[in-house]
Amino acid sequence: MLVAGVDVGAATAKTAIVKDGEFIAYSVMPTGDIVTKAAEDVTVEALKKAGYTLKDLDYVVSTGYARHHVKFTDKAVTEIICHARGANYMMPQVRTIIDIGGQDSKVIHVNEVGRVVDFVMNDKCAAGTGRFLEVMAQVLNTTIDQMGALSLTSKAPSDITSTCTIFAETELISLRAEMTPRVDMIAGLHRAVARRVVLMGQVVGYRDQVAFTGGVAMNQGVKFFLEETLKMPVVVPEQPQIMGALGAALLATETRVGKIYERSQAALKG
Amino acid sequence: MYTKLFKMCGWSDEEINANRKRIEYMLDKIDCTDAKSLKHAEEHVSSCFDLSIPGVPQLLRIYLHEFVDIVNVRNEYDCYVTINFPITPTLFMALLYNQAKTGKSVYVKSTTQTSIMVLGMIFDKYTRVLEEGERCGQGAGKAHCGQYQAEAGMLSLGILPKPDLVVASGWFCDQAAEADHAMSHIFGFESVYFDGCLDWPFEVNLPKENFEYSAKTVERAMKRVYEVTGLTITEEDNLQAWQSFGAIAMAIYGLICTVGHSDPQAISHADLTLPYLFGLVCPHPKRIADCVEAINMMLGEAKRRMDEGIGVVPKGAPKVYVGMRTGCDVRMLKVIEEVGLSITNIFIDGMTRQEKEPPLFPGLDPYMQATEYMLKRPGLNSPCYQQQYHEDMLKEFNCDGAVLSYLYNCRPWTVPALMNRDNLEKKTGLPILLLETDYYDSRLYSPQQIKTRLEAFAEMLKLNKEAAAADA
Amino acid sequence: MEAMKRLNTHLRERPVELLKLKKSGTKIVGYAAGGFAPLEMIYAAGAVPVCLGMGGDPESVTEAMSYTPLFLCTYCRSQIAYYKLGEAPYYQLPDLFVVPIVDANNKLIADSFCYYTDVNVFRFGVPHDKRPLDADYYKYGLTNLKKKLEELTGNVITDENLKKEIELENRRRSLLKAISYLRVGADPVISSKDYVALHHAAFYADRDVYLEILQEIYDELQAKRAKMAEKKYSGPRIMLVANTLAHGDVRIHEIVEATSAEIVYEEAAEGMVPYLNNVDPGLDPLDGIVDCYFTKRIRNPWDRPWGDRFDRLLEKAKEFDCEVVIWYQTLYRDGADLQSWTYGKKFKEAGLNFVKIETNYNAAEKGPMRTRIETAIEMLGQDEREAAATL
């Protein structure tokens, strides 16, 4: 059985391909302006890597903020459920998932079978998201890709607001005027994001082990400050941004919405 | 390590030595035990206040004493009751006079208000408690009152020991009492209320039924205080409390009025915040005399400076009335003075017309007396009563404009903010600057960011003054 | 439903009818949507009540910035904007606007109307506590309201009149309750969106027309319910707890409608007719109103002490077989937010999925709202998935 999980996020679209319960391929590309096209393109590419085409798919689960706009999907499931499942597949020992994406951030408490026990998600405010770092990267004339490595060289991270993007931006401008080293400002930003997210997640709590997923998880600086704030290690899977897509694909295989479930139900009835 | 800080704040070596354990316990709780934090506190308190003014270190000394008492309260008393904002000083002082007579092991204090002042103005350790408050149900970005967010944080961090009873009030704002009630569920204490409905008529009108209902809720709450503490308020206790409170209030009023009419402004309102706040929270009865003496020392210094023409702003600087003085952060006041504006007085520094009149409810009922005192303060009843007060203050101090600063997370300030500006502009014709600020949260506001607006406003007032002088 | 269509037609024509009534000398009395202004008293004075309780429109939130700062309840601050924008006809009609004051946020409604409009505003206090002293103060407010209404209309509100009106309002409450309870034990025979619309219709509709239609709706739904299987639910059941369900704010309903779940019980402090209790006809009319409107009512999220509010909400969740609680609050309504933290934990401890949704009536918030609500619903399906995985 060949299934796909398609995660159409604010910044990137991701597809994971699972065949007979085994993860075999994935692809990631920018979402761009047309979400429907991004969903299709990224899925075609992932299938191509595995040697298949869209026609070969038995079932598709979409997720991410544009999950309801994926034309070829069989079922839309929220990214929270999908992230939990994907992370559980990759890291079965993980009980807390911190997911920071382009537009939002979440802390998810997951049990031993990948079931979401509790979750919390940020409000509209961009503080504590990838978007926050993106805006700040522009202010600091750098790119989001470079920020992680740069921040790790800081010896004195700046004290930057953790609650508001607008205030943080003003603070950065003031700090720059005071000739504060750029690396310290970047490190300060990462610490601010980490503190914001950790505070938000207190509602659900942090249980060992903690995984960090989503696009921002590729930023080593944020990971470092998450560990510093939480005072516990944080693991990052190899491809942190595809957990949602992978989880969606696994759900397609496993859940009552998937054909296996339908078949098993039919078998039971038979 | 902390000796220097405490001596800067007026403590003697003997006092420090006698209280070492208690001080260290307090410093540990507020996370201020390392040299860096203590050095920062020394710099912070020096930047907030002019410690060379006679009376200022003495007042800081009293604040620190009160705070050390609060943090240590569970080590020293069997029972403790917190009275929250708006604090009715005569009631809790009367209880303390009763406690002194009966010798019961009970401590009663406006613990939150006093603690945030010390954490904010001396140690600069407020952000930590706010963050902790966010973890306890008062999340960021929801405009929760900074004072109650801090209370949650202080309870969670053990800075404030868990009280046996919290006396909260819904008179000024229902948010305060709601927050205390939410915390009572989280931390497991009991809360009772001085109640009110915020239903005063829009016009200046003080219906006696509103006072009567409020006073009865005070009586109801105080009955519970009696059940918990065994303390009651006798006529004698009440009289003593009013005498003590009166001594402090009149000393503060005299000082603030004197400075308000000085030109150049003799003492910074940052420094005046210290005596002013004792008008809200009142020190322990055993420190009343010290407190009055310190305020009078400040008054003496103000008069000396006035005689010598010394001030904190240039002579002839435009005079402004200011909308808010926060209890834990004087930086905003300093910025206003730095841009060359002379602050005459600040909201609720003065007295309303109605406060100067004979009592509506003559008699010796301590609950009604306390109720009438509080509810006749500006801001605690009719919207127009508050507007009338603003107008009166601008007139009384011959102001050139007003900086109507307000706390974005404080409902009673936020609700009328735009109406008050509009009304004052129309009624006085003076320039009014509306300024939205935070209680303290250094992650959300910086006085320096507001400085540019204040500078522009100050320029405008100065030009207005010059133009008026030229016309004359 | 045919009756529902008739009700909608009536509502479309109602502003013009009310305008005609006003021109003919009938007094129109507006009231804030907290359910503390007794309609029987307004009717007994010979006036017609109209609720000013619209919300959900981002334009009014933006417009409100001219009159109030941002950091106050979204619903409360948008009320002055509905009046100022002039597009909501009901806001232009009242000869008197009654605002029972429940907290600092809704005090803003009274203050802003007093300051920025010529509308005649009457306010009275709704204490937070519910003990006899507090009930007496609420009664004092009602006594003043009675005087005010008599002044306005020139009619004396007699006990006899009041009792007659109480009977009719009891009928309204009883029918709304009966319709709500048809949702117990079976898939809902009426969607939550339609059910809340019935409450919102009560804000404006002619009462005779309303009661007649409501009776028809009830009869029709009851017949439908009688044919339904007991306790066989086609999807998860949701309890919606809101501080305000304003007229025009249907976002939560739209999101839930697109899922397999159904909202089967609603508790809103503002925006619904408090229908669980009736005024006891055996009591003195004013005492009966205090008892029904104030004492017996489920406490509001900003009331303190919280008293038995949680227990009563949980009781309703169980009675209606709900598995998910959607806690819906307007931004900066501090009382609701303070309570949500503790209540969220308690609902979870009681085995219910709890999801908090906050609104600023902003179009951009719908996506994250949807993700939260859908997740809370999908979390229920996980158990079945686990079962399937073990097959």
Side-chain angles (χ1 to χ4, degrees), chain A residues 253-268:
Chain A
T253 307
E254 296 166 4
T255 67
R256 59 178 170 162
V257 303
K259 289 189 178 172
I260 287 180
Y261 178 72
E262 285 163 20
R263 281 175 202 157
S264 64
Q265 292 292 91
L268 278 176

PDB file of all heavy atoms in Angstrom, chain A residues 253-268:
ATOM      1  N   THR A 253      -1.945   5.298   6.734  1.00  0.00           N
ATOM      2  CA  THR A 253      -1.812   3.849   6.814  1.00  0.00           C
ATOM      3  C   THR A 253      -2.592   3.274   7.984  1.00  0.00           C
ATOM      4  O   THR A 253      -3.242   2.242   7.878  1.00  0.00           O
ATOM      5  CB  THR A 253      -0.316   3.486   7.003  1.00  0.00           C
ATOM      6  OG1 THR A 253       0.419   4.112   5.974  1.00  0.00           O
ATOM      7  CG2 THR A 253      -0.103   1.996   6.923  1.00  0.00           C
ATOM      8  N   GLU A 254      -2.515   3.986   9.111  1.00  0.00           N
ATOM      9  CA  GLU A 254      -2.964   3.394  10.360  1.00  0.00           C
ATOM     10  C   GLU A 254      -4.378   3.712  10.805  1.00  0.00           C
ATOM     11  O   GLU A 254      -4.991   2.936  11.520  1.00  0.00           O
ATOM     12  CB  GLU A 254      -2.020   3.841  11.495  1.00  0.00           C
ATOM     13  CG  GLU A 254      -0.618   3.346  11.338  1.00  0.00           C
ATOM     14  CD  GLU A 254       0.331   4.072  12.270  1.00  0.00           C
ATOM     15  OE1 GLU A 254      -0.137   4.896  13.076  1.00  0.00           O
ATOM     16  OE2 GLU A 254       1.533   3.812  12.193  1.00  0.00           O
ATOM     17  N   THR A 255      -4.841   4.887  10.455  1.00  0.00           N
ATOM     18  CA  THR A 255      -6.084   5.318  11.107  1.00  0.00           C
ATOM     19  C   THR A 255      -7.316   4.731  10.461  1.00  0.00           C
ATOM     20  O   THR A 255      -7.273   4.116   9.406  1.00  0.00           O
ATOM     21  CB  THR A 255      -6.244   6.843  11.061  1.00  0.00           C
ATOM     22  OG1 THR A 255      -6.437   7.185   9.699  1.00  0.00           O
ATOM     23  CG2 THR A 255      -5.064   7.556  11.623  1.00  0.00           C
ATOM     24  N   ARG A 256      -8.410   5.023  11.122  1.00  0.00           N
ATOM     25  CA  ARG A 256      -9.699   4.574  10.594  1.00  0.00           C
ATOM     26  C   ARG A 256      -9.997   5.231   9.252  1.00  0.00           C
ATOM     27  O   ARG A 256     -10.866   4.809   8.528  1.00  0.00           O
ATOM     28  CB  ARG A 256     -10.798   4.894  11.590  1.00  0.00           C
ATOM     29  CG  ARG A 256     -10.905   6.361  11.914  1.00  0.00           C
ATOM     30  CD  ARG A 256     -12.037   6.600  12.854  1.00  0.00           C
ATOM     31  NE  ARG A 256     -11.997   7.970  13.360  1.00  0.00           N
ATOM     32  CZ  ARG A 256     -13.005   8.578  13.914  1.00  0.00           C
ATOM     33  NH1 ARG A 256     -14.143   7.956  14.038  1.00  0.00           N
ATOM     34  NH2 ARG A 256     -12.901   9.808  14.363  1.00  0.00           N
ATOM     35  N   VAL A 257      -9.320   6.337   8.971  1.00  0.00           N
ATOM     36  CA  VAL A 257      -9.559   6.979   7.687  1.00  0.00           C
ATOM     37  C   VAL A 257      -8.791   6.268   6.584  1.00  0.00           C
ATOM     38  O   VAL A 257      -9.052   6.442   5.412  1.00  0.00           O
ATOM     39  CB  VAL A 257      -9.179   8.475   7.698  1.00  0.00           C
ATOM     40  CG1 VAL A 257      -9.935   9.215   8.768  1.00  0.00           C
ATOM     41  CG2 VAL A 257      -7.688   8.666   7.862  1.00  0.00           C
ATOM     42  N   GLY A 258      -7.796   5.455   6.960  1.00  0.00           N
ATOM     43  CA  GLY A 258      -6.985   4.785   5.954  1.00  0.00           C
ATOM     44  C   GLY A 258      -7.646   3.514   5.455  1.00  0.00           C
ATOM     45  O   GLY A 258      -8.553   2.966   6.071  1.00  0.00           O
ATOM     46  N   LYS A 259      -7.150   3.081   4.328  1.00  0.00           N
ATOM     47  CA  LYS A 259      -7.799   1.926   3.709  1.00  0.00           C
ATOM     48  C   LYS A 259      -7.522   0.635   4.468  1.00  0.00           C
ATOM     49  O   LYS A 259      -8.334  -0.271   4.462  1.00  0.00           O
ATOM     50  CB  LYS A 259      -7.377   1.812   2.254  1.00  0.00           C
ATOM     51  CG  LYS A 259      -7.999   2.927   1.426  1.00  0.00           C
ATOM     52  CD  LYS A 259      -7.787   2.746  -0.050  1.00  0.00           C
ATOM     53  CE  LYS A 259      -8.492   3.876  -0.775  1.00  0.00           C
ATOM     54  NZ  LYS A 259      -8.209   3.904  -2.203  1.00  0.00           N
ATOM     55  N   ILE A 260      -6.356   0.577   5.131  1.00  0.00           N
ATOM     56  CA  ILE A 260      -6.065  -0.641   5.886  1.00  0.00           C
ATOM     57  C   ILE A 260      -7.133  -0.842   6.943  1.00  0.00           C
ATOM     58  O   ILE A 260      -7.659  -1.934   7.131  1.00  0.00           O
ATOM     59  CB  ILE A 260      -4.664  -0.568   6.530  1.00  0.00           C
ATOM     60  CG1 ILE A 260      -3.623  -0.731   5.443  1.00  0.00           C
ATOM     61  CG2 ILE A 260      -4.505  -1.643   7.603  1.00  0.00           C
ATOM     62  CD1 ILE A 260      -2.192  -0.680   5.942  1.00  0.00           C
ATOM     63  N   TYR A 261      -7.474   0.284   7.597  1.00  0.00           N
ATOM     64  CA  TYR A 261      -8.494   0.202   8.628  1.00  0.00           C
ATOM     65  C   TYR A 261      -9.821  -0.231   8.003  1.00  0.00           C
ATOM     66  O   TYR A 261     -10.511  -1.097   8.522  1.00  0.00           O
ATOM     67  CB  TYR A 261      -8.644   1.565   9.316  1.00  0.00           C
ATOM     68  CG  TYR A 261      -9.727   1.586  10.366  1.00  0.00           C
ATOM     69  CD1 TYR A 261      -9.545   0.924  11.581  1.00  0.00           C
ATOM     70  CD2 TYR A 261     -10.928   2.246  10.131  1.00  0.00           C
ATOM     71  CE1 TYR A 261     -10.537   0.942  12.535  1.00  0.00           C
ATOM     72  CE2 TYR A 261     -11.924   2.261  11.081  1.00  0.00           C
ATOM     73  CZ  TYR A 261     -11.729   1.609  12.287  1.00  0.00           C
ATOM     74  OH  TYR A 261     -12.714   1.612  13.237  1.00  0.00           O
ATOM     75  N   GLU A 262     -10.108   0.413   6.873  1.00  0.00           N
ATOM     76  CA  GLU A 262     -11.361   0.045   6.204  1.00  0.00           C
ATOM     77  C   GLU A 262     -11.352  -1.440   5.838  1.00  0.00           C
ATOM     78  O   GLU A 262     -12.334  -2.145   6.002  1.00  0.00           O
ATOM     79  CB  GLU A 262     -11.551   0.900   4.937  1.00  0.00           C
ATOM     80  CG  GLU A 262     -11.968   2.334   5.276  1.00  0.00           C
ATOM     81  CD  GLU A 262     -11.755   3.285   4.116  1.00  0.00           C
ATOM     82  OE1 GLU A 262     -11.660   2.812   2.962  1.00  0.00           O
ATOM     83  OE2 GLU A 262     -11.663   4.497   4.379  1.00  0.00           O
ATOM     84  N   ARG A 263     -10.196  -1.885   5.350  1.00  0.00           N
ATOM     85  CA  ARG A 263     -10.093  -3.296   4.967  1.00  0.00           C
ATOM     86  C   ARG A 263     -10.247  -4.198   6.197  1.00  0.00           C
ATOM     87  O   ARG A 263     -10.916  -5.219   6.162  1.00  0.00           O
ATOM     88  CB  ARG A 263      -8.748  -3.568   4.299  1.00  0.00           C
ATOM     89  CG  ARG A 263      -8.734  -3.120   2.846  1.00  0.00           C
ATOM     90  CD  ARG A 263      -7.344  -3.312   2.271  1.00  0.00           C
ATOM     91  NE  ARG A 263      -7.163  -2.461   1.124  1.00  0.00           N
ATOM     92  CZ  ARG A 263      -5.991  -2.063   0.679  1.00  0.00           C
ATOM     93  NH1 ARG A 263      -4.898  -2.417   1.293  1.00  0.00           N
ATOM     94  NH2 ARG A 263      -5.906  -1.305  -0.383  1.00  0.00           N
ATOM     95  N   SER A 264      -9.577  -3.774   7.288  1.00  0.00           N
ATOM     96  CA  SER A 264      -9.653  -4.625   8.478  1.00  0.00           C
ATOM     97  C   SER A 264     -11.080  -4.685   9.011  1.00  0.00           C
ATOM     98  O   SER A 264     -11.544  -5.715   9.466  1.00  0.00           O
ATOM     99  CB  SER A 264      -8.703  -4.112   9.561  1.00  0.00           C
ATOM    100  OG  SER A 264      -9.108  -2.839   9.989  1.00  0.00           O
ATOM    101  N   GLN A 265     -11.762  -3.548   8.889  1.00  0.00           N
ATOM    102  CA  GLN A 265     -13.164  -3.535   9.306  1.00  0.00           C
ATOM    103  C   GLN A 265     -13.986  -4.484   8.427  1.00  0.00           C
ATOM    104  O   GLN A 265     -14.821  -5.240   8.909  1.00  0.00           O
ATOM    105  CB  GLN A 265     -13.744  -2.118   9.188  1.00  0.00           C
ATOM    106  CG  GLN A 265     -13.147  -1.139  10.177  1.00  0.00           C
ATOM    107  CD  GLN A 265     -13.560  -1.468  11.611  1.00  0.00           C
ATOM    108  OE1 GLN A 265     -12.869  -2.203  12.306  1.00  0.00           O
ATOM    109  NE2 GLN A 265     -14.707  -0.967  12.034  1.00  0.00           N
ATOM    110  N   ALA A 266     -13.671  -4.401   7.127  1.00  0.00           N
ATOM    111  CA  ALA A 266     -14.395  -5.267   6.184  1.00  0.00           C
ATOM    112  C   ALA A 266     -14.103  -6.734   6.497  1.00  0.00           C
ATOM    113  O   ALA A 266     -15.002  -7.584   6.469  1.00  0.00           O
ATOM    114  CB  ALA A 266     -13.970  -4.927   4.760  1.00  0.00           C
ATOM    115  N   ALA A 267     -12.820  -6.988   6.818  1.00  0.00           N
ATOM    116  CA  ALA A 267     -12.445  -8.365   7.135  1.00  0.00           C
ATOM    117  C   ALA A 267     -13.183  -8.858   8.372  1.00  0.00           C
ATOM    118  O   ALA A 267     -13.659  -9.997   8.426  1.00  0.00           O
ATOM    119  CB  ALA A 267     -10.942  -8.451   7.362  1.00  0.00           C
ATOM    120  N   LEU A 268     -13.293  -7.975   9.349  1.00  0.00           N
ATOM    121  CA  LEU A 268     -14.001  -8.344  10.573  1.00  0.00           C
ATOM    122  C   LEU A 268     -15.457  -8.689  10.282  1.00  0.00           C
ATOM    123  O   LEU A 268     -16.007  -9.656  10.788  1.00  0.00           O
ATOM    124  CB  LEU A 268     -13.950  -7.178  11.575  1.00  0.00           C
ATOM    125  CG  LEU A 268     -12.681  -7.049  12.415  1.00  0.00           C
ATOM    126  CD1 LEU A 268     -12.773  -5.792  13.264  1.00  0.00           C
ATOM    127  CD2 LEU A 268     -12.508  -8.250  13.324  1.00  0.00           C
TER     128      LEU A 268
END
